């Protein structure tokens, strides 16, 4: 069901397309539908280009989340849109790059068995690590969303998490400019957490407290799984979890937890 991005009122159609349209992507030959409740355009993003949509997504505007999650990527049969599958693969590979690069740049990495393995096995290990963390993160949130708010569209929840995690791609600028990877990872991690909460709030029509709880529990499970896997090869000290030791009640704890919750 399509909805108004302003007030979330159901709409039968979002626009009317004319046969004389010469370029639908630019909005020519398309008449946007007005919402019957708020009388504003039901979905003006139908005539926006991808760049403007991405900018609004970064700004966390509720309207663009409703446009993407309900009007563009949402499906009645709760299947994944092909573009979401491609985005999920891209995010996974980028997680592998950031995790591997962060550990390799440590000034004094702890002794571990992974460094003695061929480069292919190292890559497969970090791929397994990131894939496991991501799967558990999604599965826990999908389960809790069903139990707490009665959500019956689990793939919609995963779609919201993937879309709101697109800020993970920002560190790609490190290919052009030199950045401190740990600092970049922390900043991006906080942004991802906030975006995840906002996307879940809009999709599930719940409060910030519930959306924050779902994100926090899923992230904690992901953190625990990552710690177990990294501990098995002697890399737990290098993963950022060491900052969670008891007795260090400073801002470093909050910082490390935040970016681990976001980047896994």
């Amino acid at each position: 069901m399509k909805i108004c991005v302003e007030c979330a009122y159901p709409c039968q159609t979002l626009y009317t397309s004319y046969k004389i349209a010469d370029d639908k992507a630019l909005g020519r030959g398309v008449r946007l539908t007005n919402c019957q409740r708020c009388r504003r355009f039901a979905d003006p993003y139908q005539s926006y280009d991808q760049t403007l949509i991405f900018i609004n997504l970064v700004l966390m505007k509720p309207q663009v989340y409703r446009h993407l999650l309900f009007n563009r990527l949402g499906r009645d049969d709760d299947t994944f849109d092909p573009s979401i599958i491609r985005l999920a693969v891209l995010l996974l590979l980028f997680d592998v790059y950031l995790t591997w690069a962060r550990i390799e740049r440590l000034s004094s990495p702890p002794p571990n068995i992974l460094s003695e393995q061929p480069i292919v096995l190292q890559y497969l290990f970090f791929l397994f690590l990131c894939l496991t963390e991501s799967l558990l993160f999604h599965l826990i949130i999908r389960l809790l969303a069903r139990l707490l708010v009665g959500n019956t569209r689990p793939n919609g929840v995963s779609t919201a998490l993937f879309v709101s995690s697109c800020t993970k791609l920002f560190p790609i600028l490190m290919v052009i400019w030199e950045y401190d990877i740990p600092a970049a990872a922390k900043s991006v991690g906080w942004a991802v957490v906030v975006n995840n909460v906002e996307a879940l709030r809009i999709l599930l029509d719940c409060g910030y407290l519930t959306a924050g709880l779902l994100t926090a529990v899923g992230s904690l499970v992901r953190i625990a799984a990552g710690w177990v896997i990294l501990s098995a090869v002697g890399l737990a000290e290098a993963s950022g979890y060491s900052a969670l030791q008891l007795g260090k009640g400073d801002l470093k704890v909050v910082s490390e937890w935040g970016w681990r919750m976001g980047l896994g």
Side-chain angles (χ1 to χ4, degrees), residues 156-218:
V157 173
S158 291
T159 296
L161 293 175
F162 285 131
V163 169
S164 59
S165 298
C166 66
T167 47
K168 286 183 180 182
L169 302 178
F170 278 167
I172 198 172
L173 296 175
M174 289 185 297
V175 177
I176 306 173
W177 296 290
E178 186 68 20
Y179 281 98
D180 179 15
I181 287 183
K186 291 178 184 180
S187 301
V188 172
W190 279 110
V192 171
V193 170
V194 175
N195 276 273
N196 287 161
V197 172
E198 182 68 13
L200 290 175
R201 182 190 72 84
I202 293 172
L203 177 72
L204 302 176
D205 193 22
C206 61
Y208 280 109
L209 182 61
T210 302
L213 177 63
L214 294 177
T215 304
V217 174

Side-chain angles (χ1 to χ4, degrees), residues 21-37:
D22 53 352
D23 194 344
K24 178 182 173 181
L26 297 178
R28 293 196 288 265
V30 175
R31 180 181 179 183
L32 297 175
T33 302
N34 291 91
C35 175
Q36 296 180 358
R37 175 193 285 177

Side-chain angles (χ1 to χ4, degrees), residues 44-58:
Y45 291 98
Q46 295 290 335
S47 60
Y48 283 22
D49 60 32
Q50 301 299 326
T51 303
L52 290 176
I53 291 177
F54 180 75
I55 292 175
N56 281 266
L57 185 63
V58 172

Side-chain angles (χ1 to χ4, degrees), residues 1-9 42-43 45 61-74 198 201-203 205:
M1 174 66 71
K2 309 299 184 182
I3 65 171
C4 171
V5 299
E6 300 291 345
C7 64
Y9 188 74
D43 190 354
Y45 291 98
K61 291 191 174 181
Q63 294 87 345
V64 75
Y65 275 117
R66 295 190 184 103
H67 164 73
L68 292 172
L69 301 180
F70 292 95
N71 297 342
R72 172 166 293 191
L73 301 175
E198 182 68 13
R201 182 190 72 84
I202 293 172
L203 177 72
D205 193 22

Side-chain angles (χ1 to χ4, degrees), residues 3-22:
I3 65 171
C4 171
V5 299
E6 300 291 345
C7 64
Y9 188 74
C11 300
Q12 292 185 349
T13 59
L14 299 174
Y15 62 88
T16 301
S17 181
Y18 299 98
K19 294 182 179 180
I20 60 174
D22 53 352

